Amino acid sequence: MPVQYVIEEWDFRDLTLKMKPPVFIPRPETEELVSLVLEDLRSIQEESHTTDLRCLEVGCGSGAISLSLLHSIPQLRVFALDQSQTAVSLTMENANRLGLQDRLDVHHLDVIKDADAILKILRFEDHSALDGGLDRLSMIRPILALSSKLLTQRGRVYLEVAPCHPPVIQQLIEETRPGLLYLETRCDLTNRPRFCILQKKGEDN
């Protein structure tokens, strides 16, 4: 049994989160993803002086990503989804412990099966967490489809993926999602291509 389940908590960035099986344990690479998103969100704040920042996390697990973002940016509001009720409950428990529940909306929804419900809501270590299906893109395809509908102009998508995925995802976007632009691939601390950054096209691109 992983040590995180034994001691029932784990540190993620500057937060201590409660852990319980079978909810996926956040990986060190995911801390890099949060840093990447925070860098962009702060840049958006400086450029536009906006106080209306919103993010959607698909597959929130323990809430590590959502809660780290909320903890770092007081103006942010986050919507989080997970197909596991255990994960949804754990995210809310961690949010309440950290006093971040007022800016977090968590829903028990499956991005593959409940796309219509997700659109309605957002208009205003379970091994399945790592299972991408036969082509390893079964979770990514519906996220891209939702992104085309949900993102505001120049809104961004950040994906933490297997090192073999970035070129495949880039080709998929170019062939099937003309409203999205593949911006770049970033490497993790081990120099593996780990993060894909996409953007909804604006009027000038």
Side-chain angles (χ1 to χ4, degrees), residues 16 22 48 50 66 71 75 86 99 102 108 143 155 173 186 190 192 201:
T16 299
S48 63
T50 183
S66 291
H71 179 72
Q75 299 84 6
T86 303
D102 292 342
H108 179 211
I143 290 174
I173 289 170
R186 294 278 190 96
T190 63
R192 293 184 176 93
K201 290 184 178 178

Side-chain angles (χ1 to χ4, degrees), residues 119-168:
L119 286 172
K120 289 177 182 177
I121 289 170
L122 299 173
R123 285 284 182 203
F124 50 146
E125 182 125 66
D126 179 358
H127 292 293
S128 65
L130 296 175
D131 183 6
L134 293 177
D135 68 354
R136 307 185 72 183
L137 296 174
S138 64
M139 185 62 69
I140 291 173
R141 291 179 192 277
I143 290 174
L144 296 181
L146 279 172
S147 300
S148 299
K149 299 174 182 177
L150 289 175
L151 287 177
T152 56
Q153 197 172 87
R154 298 186 182 280
R156 290 190 175 183
V157 178
Y158 302 83
L159 300 171
E160 181 179 352
V161 299
C164 62
H165 275 163
V168 179

Side-chain angles (χ1 to χ4, degrees), residues 3-193:
V3 65
Q4 293 91 336
Y5 292 156
V6 175
I7 64 175
E8 298 185 342
E9 67 178 24
W10 199 245
D11 289 342
F12 183 84
R13 289 176 57 87
D14 49 356
L15 303 179
T16 299
L17 302 172
K18 183 172 181 178
M19 296 287 152
K20 69 169 63 172
V23 178
F24 187 61
I25 299 164
R27 306 188 313 181
E29 296 95 326
T30 306
E31 296 193 18
E32 298 176 63
L33 176 65
V34 172
S35 296
L36 184 60
V37 176
L38 283 174
E39 181 183 327
D40 281 353
L41 286 175
R42 287 171 175 150
S43 176
I44 291 169
Q45 275 188 305
E46 291 176 4
E47 292 174 5
S48 63
H49 305 289
T50 183
T51 57
D52 183 25
L53 291 173
R54 298 186 182 193
C55 288
L56 167 65
E57 181 184 8
V58 176
C60 55
S62 62
I65 294 175
S66 291
L67 296 173
S68 291
L69 294 174
L70 288 169
H71 179 72
S72 299
I73 301 183
Q75 299 84 6
L76 182 66
R77 185 169 190 83
V78 173
F79 298 86
L81 315 174
D82 206 291
Q83 64 182 358
S84 162
Q85 182 59 58
T86 303
V88 168
S89 299
L90 183 58
T91 291
M92 281 308 304
E93 183 176 350
N94 279 322
N96 286 321
R97 291 175 68 189
L98 296 167
L100 298 170
Q101 69 277 5
D102 292 342
R103 292 183 288 124
L104 177 67
D105 291 312
V106 188
H107 299 275
H108 179 211
L109 292 168
D110 186 327
V111 72
I112 298 175
K113 300 175 182 176
D114 303 318
D116 290 340
I118 293 169
L119 286 172
K120 289 177 182 177
I121 289 170
L122 299 173
R123 285 284 182 203
F124 50 146
E125 182 125 66
D126 179 358
H127 292 293
S128 65
L130 296 175
D131 183 6
L134 293 177
D135 68 354
R136 307 185 72 183
L137 296 174
S138 64
M139 185 62 69
I140 291 173
R141 291 179 192 277
I143 290 174
L144 296 181
L146 279 172
S147 300
S148 299
K149 299 174 182 177
L150 289 175
L151 287 177
T152 56
Q153 197 172 87
R154 298 186 182 280
R156 290 190 175 183
V157 178
Y158 302 83
L159 300 171
E160 181 179 352
V161 299
C164 62
H165 275 163
V168 179
I169 293 171
Q170 183 171 4
Q171 181 179 357
L172 182 65
I173 289 170
E174 291 171 353
E175 293 177 353
T176 67
R177 296 292 164 193
L180 293 177
L181 182 67
Y182 192 98
L183 289 184
E184 62 176 313
T185 302
R186 294 278 190 96
C187 293
D188 61 18
L189 288 174
T190 63
N191 207 33
R192 293 184 176 93

